[in-house]
């Protein structure tokens, strides 16, 4: 039971870590100074949430585990984040599409997680809801601007959704640990979130004059530790210090 | 294309205090101006309320007219309580 | 206006500054005051945003989550500080886009220190400790400068920057208590960043043009050499706590002067980097230009969207 819980927490934490890592690549390179500062704020929120989850998971795991061993010293196959969050910052359209699709899911998840019978998880969720509500507003506003902006921005935004859509179904797949945690009253039935997610995304895309992609085939694997090729590079960079100089304090 | 317009940002640091001008930023619309103001000017919990105003909407007095605009008020000392003479034995008024 | 009238105005203007009155955007000011301020404030702003780059290199490689969030927040602050400064310059009648244009075409300068590479994690510590330490000395002095918007930006910046130097120093302090390899990294970073940090204060007073005028306008509260001395005096004991050696054979306490004597800066290197031939000059400018160009469609789209919305609201009103 305890292993399932740790895995469950790591799954939520890894999503926040990898998306935070992706967003932090953008710091200093945003389309405007104001936007740069805003996306960095989102990265900071996500990394803050990551730390809370990892600290809790480390405590449950016991032994030598810390937030940093969990963040930096696992093998690629041990990271449980969804494929969506590891996708690259192709352009600002992709960044916002990835963000918005994740934000809508993330908020739905947290709204349920705050009712978890695990008090720590419930408390982290409660705090994170405020942050993620803002993320969703920010990314949603940008999708409206870019979808219904110029012809170029419309096309870029549509392309981003078309190409990222294949990763969305994975958000709602239940792993064995998910199921165990739902049964234990700890976790959230993510499969049940899909209808609300689809409805919300459809409404916003329509307002943004964009078309909801019509796709029959979806990709999955991240939650089981089978990632896209991007993941290895993300980890290589992220783990560089810990791997090159093992067992040191920074 | 055109520059993003400039906005002035006013922040109320806590209820009971007035909004104070704290700086400016660029944004294309009011929603974005509010969001940017939140991210730029309240990173350390500096505010509980934000106003944004397009800079172009502000009309400012002309400092060259400062003499005629402000100086006539300076010698109206009878508008201040210290103008009035009261006996010392009167403790409070 | 006749020449005599202008001269009168200039005298009145200077008297206000001498009396510690602030100059505000709509006040009359000599054209040279305006131009000098546009140049200095925009350079200062450029330094903040170019200064984000060498540190941003290391966000994705930061060795712990605690370090990662602290570094990210610090670099974000620098973006904010760039923004405050651009806003201050804009009150003088230049747009941010024009200032960017000057930066991207190489017409405007920024602090040369950011043309040095950040090669190890210890460099992130050294940048916070030395580079921010040097910058803050200038900035504290500038809080009392005569131009209101610049002075206010400085006050805000100094308040926010108080954690930046600590952030850097703590990185080095932690490493200095670690393994030999970590201690060597600290020393190596100090070796590479010490002299460029001293260069941040600019040419020697004897070779620094504009100083007299800048002092009169309180754009300079202390001379380059005074600030440099102050920095050396302050930093030497901090290096001792780190157990690191400042790479200057001539560094020595002078009991008569009650200051440290120190060696001569390699001025040839100083001018080489100022003139665009440092290790990272091209890289930094390229990164700024690329961010700007890649953002064009985003900025244009946001404007187009806002215009459409305004139009729609007008139509609704009719």
């Amino acid at each position: 039971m305890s292993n399932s819980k740790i895995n469950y927490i790591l799954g939520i934490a890894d999503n926040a870590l990898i998306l935070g890592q992706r967003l932090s690549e953008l710091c200093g390179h945003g389309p405007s100074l104001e936007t740069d500062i805003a996306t960095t704020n989102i990265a900071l929120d996500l990394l803050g949430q990551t730390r809370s989850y990892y600290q809790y998971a480390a405590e449950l795991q016991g032994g030598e585990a810390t937030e940093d061993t969990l963040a930096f010293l696992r093998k690629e196959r041990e990271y449980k984040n969804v494929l969506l969050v590891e996708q690259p910052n192709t352009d600002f359209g992709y960044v916002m599409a990835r963000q918005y699709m994740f934000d809508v899911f993330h908020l739905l998840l947290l709204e349920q997680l705050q009712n978890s019978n695990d008090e720590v998880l419930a408390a982290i969720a409660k705090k994170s809801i405020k942050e993620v509500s803002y993320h969703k507003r920010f990314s949603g506003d940008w999708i409206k601007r870019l979808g219904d902006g110029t012809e170029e921005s419309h096309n870029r935004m549509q392309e981003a959704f078309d190409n990222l859509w294949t990763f969305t179904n994975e958000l709602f797949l239940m792993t064995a640990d998910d199921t165990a945690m739902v049964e234990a009253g700890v976790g959230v039935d993510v499969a049940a979130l899909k209808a609300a997610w689809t409805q919300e995304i459809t409404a916003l895309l329509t307002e943004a004059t964009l078309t909801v992609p019509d796709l029959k085939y979806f990709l999955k694997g991240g939650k089981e530790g089978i990632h896209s090729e991007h993941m290895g590079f993300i980890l290589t960079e992220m783990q560089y210090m810990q791997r090159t100089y093992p067992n040191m304090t920074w | 294309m055109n520059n993003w317009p400039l906005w002035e940002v006013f922040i109320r640091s806590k209820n009971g205090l007035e909004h104070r001008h704290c700086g400016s930023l660029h944004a294309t619309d009011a929603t974005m101006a509010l969001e940017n103001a939140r991210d730029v000017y309240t990173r350390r919990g500096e505010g509980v309320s934000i106003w944004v105003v397009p800079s172009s909407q502000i009309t400012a007095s002309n400092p060259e007219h400062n003499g005629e605009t402000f100086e006539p008020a300076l010698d109206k000392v009878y508008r201040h309580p210290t103008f009035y003479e009261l006996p010392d034995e009167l403790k409070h008024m | 206006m006749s020449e005599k009238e202008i001269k009168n105005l200039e005298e009145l203007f200077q008297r206000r500054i001498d009396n510690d009155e602030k100059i505000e955007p709509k006040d009359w000011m000599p054209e040279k005051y305006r131009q000098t301020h546009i140049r200095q404030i925009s350079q200062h702003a450029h330094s903040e945003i170019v200064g984000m780059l060498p540190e941003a290199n290391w966000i994705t490689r930061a060795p712990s989550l605690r370090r990662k969030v602290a570094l990210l927040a610090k670099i974000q602050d620098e973006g904010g500080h760039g923004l405050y400064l651009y806003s201050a310059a804009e009150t003088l009648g230049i747009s941010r886009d024009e200032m960017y244009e000057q930066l991207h075409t190489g017409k405007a300068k920024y602090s040369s220190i950011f043309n040095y590479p950040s090669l190890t994690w210890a460099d992130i510590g050294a940048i916070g400790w030395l580079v921010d330490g040097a910058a803050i000395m200038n900035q504290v002095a500038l809080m009392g400068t005569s131009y209101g918007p610049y002075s206010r930006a400085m006050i805000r910046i100094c308040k926010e920057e108080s954690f930046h130097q600590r952030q850097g120093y703590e990185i080095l302090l932690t490493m200095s208590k670690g393994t030999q390899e970590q201690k060597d990294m600290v020393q190596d970073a100090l070796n590479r960043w010490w002299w460029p940090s001293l260069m941040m204060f600019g040419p020697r007073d004897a070779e620094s043009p504009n100083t007299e005028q800048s002092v009169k306008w309180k754009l300079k509260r202390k001379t380059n050499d005074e600030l440099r001395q102050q920095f050396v005096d302050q930093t030497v004991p901090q290096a001792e706590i780190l157990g690191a050696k400042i790479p200057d054979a001539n560094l020595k306490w002078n009991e008569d002067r009650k200051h440290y004597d120190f060696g001569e800066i390699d001025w040839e290197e100083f001018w080489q980097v100022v003139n665009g031939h440092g290790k990272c000059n091209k890289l930094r400018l390229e990164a700024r230009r690329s961010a700007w160009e890649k953002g064009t469609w985003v900025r244009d789209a946001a404007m187009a969207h806002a215009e459409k919305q305004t139009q729609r609201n007008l139509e609704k009103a009719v």
Side-chain angles (χ1 to χ4, degrees):
Chain A
M1 131 82 197
S2 177
N3 246 359
S4 259
K5 193 186 239 183
I6 293 169
N7 285 340
Y8 182 74
I9 299 167
L10 290 179
I12 300 175
D14 291 347
N15 280 340
L17 172 67
I18 300 302
L19 187 54
Q21 177 79 358
R22 274 297 191 211
L23 287 173
S24 64
E25 290 171 16
L26 293 169
C27 180
H29 306 275
S32 81
L33 205 39
E34 285 82 354
T35 325
D36 200 312
I37 293 167
T39 47
T40 301
N41 257 355
I42 299 179
L44 282 169
D45 285 342
L46 289 170
L47 293 170
Q49 294 169 19
T50 305
R51 294 186 67 191
S52 305
Y53 290 122
Y54 282 159
Q55 283 162 9
Y56 183 40
E59 192 187 308
L60 293 178
Q61 198 169 315
E64 304 280 291
T66 66
E67 59 174 75
D68 288 328
T69 63
L70 292 173
F72 297 101
L73 291 175
R74 280 180 295 153
K75 304 276 186 338
E76 180 173 330
R77 285 294 287 269
E78 295 169 309
Y79 286 83
K80 302 171 201 313
N81 56 281
V82 292
L83 299 175
L84 177 67
V85 294
E86 66 198 51
Q87 298 310 306
N89 303 324
T90 309
D91 67 18
F92 191 72
Y94 276 78
V95 172
M96 285 298 111
R98 182 184 67 200
Q99 191 65 40
Y100 182 68
M101 291 194 288
F102 182 75
D103 290 343
V104 174
F105 163 78
H106 198 185
L107 189 57
L108 290 168
L109 175 89
L110 293 171
E111 279 166 353
Q112 299 295 317
L113 193 62
Q114 68 175 333
N115 302 321
S116 169
N117 66 16
D118 183 301
E119 283 175 14
V120 179
L121 281 183
I124 300 174
K126 209 165 265 170
K127 178 174 175 289
S128 306
I129 282 174
K130 292 179 191 153
E131 297 171 345
V132 175
S133 306
Y134 186 80
H135 302 172
K136 188 178 87 170
R137 186 141 56 88
F138 179 86
S139 58
D141 284 343
W142 267 105
I143 282 157
K144 286 187 262 178
R145 286 187 196 107
L146 298 177
D148 188 20
T150 61
E151 192 186 340
E152 180 184 6
S153 73
H154 176 87
N155 294 340
R156 280 178 181 260
M157 213 57 243
Q158 187 64 55
E159 184 203 302
F161 276 104
D162 288 348
N163 286 327
L164 292 173
W165 199 254
T166 187
F167 302 112
T168 55
N169 197 50
E170 191 192 8
L171 294 166
F172 311 103
L173 296 183
M174 296 286 283
T175 63
D177 295 317
D178 284 334
T179 309
M181 283 304 101
V182 172
E183 280 165 11
V186 172
V188 176
D189 179 358
V190 284
L193 304 178
K194 191 171 181 180
W197 183 88
T198 310
Q199 195 183 2
E200 199 171 338
I201 299 271
T202 305
L204 188 103
L205 261 60
T206 309
E207 195 186 339
T209 73
L210 295 165
T211 311
V212 177
D214 180 20
L215 210 63
K216 287 189 184 61
Y217 302 102
F218 292 92
L219 293 172
K220 60 178 180 183
K223 284 182 165 183
E224 310 284 353
I226 301 170
H227 293 277
S228 60
E229 287 185 348
H230 303 298
M231 190 65 178
F233 293 99
I234 293 176
L235 294 183
T236 304
E237 208 171 325
M238 194 173 76
Q239 298 186 340
Y240 165 71
M241 289 295 293
Q242 293 283 348
R243 298 291 184 198
T244 314
Y245 307 98
N247 302 317
M248 296 185 202
T249 305
W250 302 96
Chain B
M1 196 169 286
N2 298 335
N3 297 343
W4 283 9
L6 196 64
W7 299 69
E8 300 303 321
V9 181
F10 300 81
I11 293 190
R12 184 201 296 287
S13 59
K14 61 177 190 191
N15 276 8
L17 296 179
E18 65 277 64
H19 285 77
R20 279 185 66 175
H21 183 245
C22 71
S24 47
L25 49 75
H26 290 268
T28 55
D29 55 63
T31 309
M32 195 204 285
L34 272 178
E35 287 172 357
N36 290 347
R38 179 258 194 194
D39 286 320
V40 173
Y41 288 105
T42 66
R43 297 199 298 288
R44 290 172 169 79
E46 291 95 332
V48 296
S49 165
I50 304 175
W51 287 347
V52 289
V53 183
S55 308
S56 59
Q57 296 296 308
I58 291 179
T59 310
S61 64
N62 184 344
E64 279 167 33
H65 302 160
N66 271 11
E68 65 218 59
T69 311
F70 302 112
E71 278 171 29
L74 296 181
D75 66 355
K76 311 285 192 294
V77 283
Y78 42 79
R79 288 197 172 110
H80 300 278
T82 44
F83 175 75
Y84 301 93
E85 284 174 28
L86 296 175
D88 288 345
E89 51 271 33
L90 187 71
K91 290 272 184 316
H92 299 287
M93 180 172 278
Chain C
M1 226 182 292
S2 76
E3 240 172 78
K4 191 165 165 233
E5 280 171 314
I6 290 181
K7 203 158 170 358
N8 259 339
L9 278 173
E10 282 180 0
E11 273 166 22
L12 275 173
F13 180 80
Q14 188 57 46
R15 211 170 308 146
R16 289 178 61 194
I17 293 180
D18 295 341
N19 289 335
D20 272 335
E21 255 185 75
K22 298 287 180 205
I23 306 302
E24 294 295 344
K26 287 175 78 92
D27 292 350
W28 183 88
M29 61 186 78
E31 194 48 31
K32 191 161 171 246
Y33 181 92
R34 181 186 301 277
Q35 292 309 330
T36 305
H37 275 76
I38 288 178
R39 200 180 63 235
Q40 174 160 338
I41 301 171
S42 65
Q43 277 183 16
H44 197 159
H46 297 328
S47 299
E48 294 282 354
I49 60 159
V50 176
M52 295 168 80
L53 300 170
E55 292 179 284
N57 268 340
W58 280 90
I59 299 170
T60 54
R61 288 179 289 174
S64 73
L65 290 175
R66 180 173 180 271
R67 294 286 180 220
K68 197 190 281 288
V69 291
L71 181 61
L72 197 49
K74 172 185 190 265
I75 301 173
Q76 184 196 39
D77 267 353
E78 278 152 14
H81 299 170
L83 194 153
Y84 307 158
L85 288 162
Y86 283 126
S87 302
E90 280 178 280
T91 62
L92 290 162
I94 185 170
S95 73
R96 195 196 293 175
D97 287 12
E98 283 173 83
M99 290 184 268
Y100 274 158
E101 173 72 19
Q102 293 174 350
L103 174 67
H104 296 156
T105 54
K107 202 179 143 211
K109 298 255 183 273
Y110 55 86
S111 180
S112 275
I113 191 84
F114 304 118
N115 294 318
Y116 287 83
S118 60
L119 302 175
T120 73
W121 176 249
D123 288 21
I124 297 307
I127 291 174
W129 173 38
L130 299 172
V131 176
D132 286 80
I136 212 157
M137 286 195 152
N138 255 319
Q139 294 179 160
V140 165
L142 280 171
M143 291 196 297
T145 194
S146 65
Y147 188 55
Y150 193 26
S151 156
R152 289 192 287 277
M154 280 297 110
I155 291 169
R156 198 177 178 95
I157 289 171
C158 286
K159 207 160 93 191
E160 296 188 351
E161 282 212 345
S162 51
F163 92 85
H164 292 188
Q165 201 186 6
R166 288 175 180 217
Q167 180 260 167
Y169 193 71
E170 195 196 79
I171 287 173
L172 296 178
L173 195 62
T174 309
M175 292 176 73
S176 74
K177 292 177 187 152
T179 63
Q180 191 56 46
E181 207 174 4
Q182 287 175 299
K183 290 175 188 166
D184 293 345
M185 277 168 87
V186 172
Q187 185 62 56
D188 169 60
L190 177 57
N191 291 348
R192 284 181 290 106
W193 289 93
W194 174 253
W195 291 106
S197 300
L198 294 193
M199 293 179 199
M200 284 177 73
F201 298 99
R204 274 178 306 213
D205 293 347
E207 274 110 59
S208 177
N210 298 328
T211 294
E212 198 190 336
Q213 183 65 77
S214 296
V215 169
K216 272 176 77 180
W217 288 339
K218 300 187 179 173
L219 266 175
K220 240 189 186 131
R221 312 302 307 267
K222 287 180 177 171
T223 71
N224 295 355
D225 287 334
E226 282 168 358
L227 284 169
R228 190 160 20 235
Q229 181 71 59
Q230 194 185 333
F231 176 76
V232 172
D233 291 347
Q234 171 188 298
T235 311
V236 172
Q238 296 168 349
E240 281 164 9
I241 295 174
L242 295 176
K245 193 175 173 306
I246 287 174
D248 179 355
N250 297 313
L251 185 83
K252 195 168 79 223
W253 178 253
N254 182 326
E255 189 55 38
D256 297 335
R257 289 203 310 128
K258 299 278 181 220
H259 287 295
Y260 282 94
D261 292 336
F262 54 98
E264 193 60 44
I265 286 171
D266 179 351
W267 294 107
E268 201 172 316
E269 178 183 317
F270 174 84
W271 289 113
Q272 176 180 338
V273 184
V274 168
N275 290 324
H277 306 288
K279 231 177 197 166
C280 299
N281 295 60
K282 289 201 176 70
L283 210 64
R284 302 291 183 244
L285 264 192
E286 194 41 50
R288 286 311 319 160
R289 268 192 224 120
S290 153
W292 185 246
E293 281 159 17
K294 283 181 187 152
T296 304
W297 71 271
V298 177
R299 295 189 305 274
D300 288 353
M303 277 302 282
H305 179 78
E307 278 156 23
K308 279 186 195 176
Q309 291 295 92
T310 313
Q311 197 54 40
R312 278 173 201 148
N313 288 339
L314 280 176
E315 279 160 19
K316 243 186 264 167
V318 173

